Amino acid sequence: MVLKSGRLVVLAAGIIAGAPSGARAADFFAGKTINFIAGTDVGGGFSIYARALGKHLGRYIPGNPTIVVKNMPGAGGATASAWLYRIAPKDGTAIASVSPNAILGKLLDESQTQYDPTKFQYLAGAERGTRLCMTFQHSKVKTFDDALVQKAVIGATSAGSPTREYAALHKHAAGAKFEIVSGYKGPPDLFIAMERGEIDGVCGLDWSALKSQQPDWLREKKLNLLVQGALDPDPELAALGVPTPWKYIKDDVDRRAVELMVGFQQAFGKSYMAPPGVPAEQVKILREAFNAVLKDKEFLADAEKLRIEIAPQTGEEVQRMVERAYSAPPNLIERLKKIVEP
């Protein structure tokens, strides 16, 4: 009996040792909490998407962990990126969404050493963003052609944010007479400033998020949509007569530099990432969960109610996109640095 029992113990140990590693990774998430960080203010588009996804994501992760969405605004997403890279646990229980500017940051400013964007493990992309410049109804600048001949005060958040960089981009590459005023906390503060007449408008806001944030303003035509940041025009914006910037940019190097930034930001959109060092098994589970939730009927129904657009990308696609951006020609990167005033 002792011998048989011993054999059973050895056999059981062998079965456990030979269990698939994926099973151990799946068990890992049971009873856990995953902190889902949105690297913007509560009212921003990244926060809207994160909360919509966070509501359903746990159902597709084995062990059904609790998903808690938290906001960590600051430095155009660099604060959240640095936290994820340096401080967050490297086990799959911390993921984040930050603006494309935060990912391009090191490309434009080599002194930025808090994190290396190429070493994040990208999980998925939910949307391909088109960013806009706009003014409020009281502004004398009604079109982008107006902005070429008449000053407009454009509000922005911090250096390195889309609101700052897109305003600078149109100012330096296309010749818009923008006076950029930084220091606003986030989109809600910018909207209030526009309504009060403190500023004419804002650049770098995402079209999909704007439809969710300010549907009444759009319906009542309180916004002048000046220009869309897109390689190929967004059909909905094109139908509204909103131009792309390309005919306004005369210098070829400037145009290619702007295409580098706009193309990356539009493709990167709302993407999600884990820190370096998370085991491959956990990364695989998280990628599969994102892929599944982005096709989930309940999630898509919520997205429709929120008026947010969904254009899924795999984590592998996002990873390759980041790598391509960081292999761009040095002369374009140098010119882009001057254009966006990092």
Side-chain angles (χ1 to χ4, degrees):
M1 290 294 294
V2 173
L3 182 59
K4 289 181 180 179
S5 176
R7 285 176 177 173
L8 286 173
V9 170
V10 171
L11 178 61
I15 292 171
I16 293 170
S21 59
R24 294 199 301 272
D27 292 342
F28 170 80
F29 285 106
K32 294 286 197 305
T33 294
I34 295 178
N35 287 308
F36 190 162
I37 304 300
T40 62
D41 193 60
V42 174
F46 288 85
S47 182
I48 294 170
Y49 274 80
R51 281 172 166 74
L53 281 162
K55 178 180 174 183
H56 301 278
L57 187 62
R59 292 192 284 114
Y60 288 98
I61 299 175
N64 303 119
T66 301
I67 310 295
V68 177
V69 179
K70 299 178 179 179
N71 291 82
M72 192 180 291
T79 299
S81 299
W83 177 86
L84 189 71
Y85 192 87
R86 292 180 171 273
I87 300 172
K90 309 298 190 287
D91 60 2
T93 60
I95 59 178
S97 172
V98 300
S99 77
N101 299 64
I103 301 304
L104 283 182
K106 187 175 177 63
L107 195 67
L108 301 176
D109 182 5
E110 294 176 0
S111 68
Q112 188 278 99
T113 58
Q114 293 181 305
Y115 58 94
D116 183 346
T118 64
K119 292 184 179 178
F120 285 122
Q121 303 192 76
Y122 295 92
L123 305 173
E127 176 251 10
R128 298 172 184 265
T130 298
R131 296 187 178 275
L132 290 166
C133 276
M134 67 198 75
T135 57
F136 201 62
Q137 60 183 4
H138 59 65
S139 175
K140 294 180 181 179
V141 175
K142 307 291 186 185
T143 67
F144 196 72
D145 287 302
D146 291 342
L148 301 179
V149 297
Q150 188 162 328
K151 186 184 82 170
V153 178
I154 301 297
T157 55
S158 59
S161 71
T163 54
R164 174 81 188 184
E165 291 190 351
Y166 268 81
L169 179 155
H170 292 299
K171 177 180 179 178
H172 296 304
K177 294 186 179 296
F178 288 160
E179 179 183 330
I180 306 170
V181 179
S182 300
Y184 290 93
K185 185 179 179 182
D189 289 344
L190 288 165
F191 292 140
I192 292 170
M194 288 169 66
E195 197 166 25
R196 288 177 177 172
E198 294 174 14
I199 58 177
D200 285 279
V202 62
C203 289
L205 294 188
D206 180 79
W207 172 233
S208 178
L210 183 67
K211 289 186 288 185
S212 176
Q213 293 163 326
Q214 295 294 350
D216 293 342
W217 281 10
L218 290 168
R219 185 175 56 254
E220 296 165 13
K221 301 186 185 304
K222 289 186 176 182
L223 294 172
N224 307 307
L225 306 180
L226 305 184
V227 63
Q228 56 170 306
L231 293 182
D232 298 310
D234 177 277
E236 192 174 15
L237 290 170
L240 294 172
V242 184
T244 58
W246 312 118
K247 70 177 182 179
Y248 300 101
I249 303 175
K250 308 304 181 185
D251 184 89
D252 183 59
V253 175
D254 283 2
R255 180 186 175 107
R256 287 188 290 134
V258 172
E259 285 176 343
L260 170 63
M261 176 174 165
V262 168
F264 176 80
Q265 296 220 354
Q266 188 174 23
F268 189 86
K270 305 293 187 300
S271 290
Y272 305 93
M273 57 200 195
V278 176
E281 297 151 353
Q282 275 94 316
V283 171
K284 182 175 183 290
I285 286 172
L286 292 171
R287 282 179 169 176
E288 290 175 349
F290 269 102
N291 290 343
V293 79
L294 288 167
K295 300 172 185 174
D296 179 80
K297 290 182 179 179
E298 291 182 30
F299 166 71
L300 293 174
D302 284 350
E304 186 174 356
K305 292 175 186 175
L306 290 168
R307 301 183 180 88
I308 58 175
E309 298 171 1
I310 303 300
Q313 297 182 80
T314 67
E316 292 86 348
E317 288 172 329
V318 178
Q319 199 94 40
R320 288 192 294 270
M321 187 195 317
V322 174
E323 291 167 358
R324 283 196 300 270
Y326 274 81
S327 62
N331 67 314
L332 295 188
I333 295 170
E334 288 304 313
R335 182 54 189 153
L336 186 58
K337 288 178 183 180
K338 293 180 173 64
I339 288 173
V340 300
E341 297 180 340

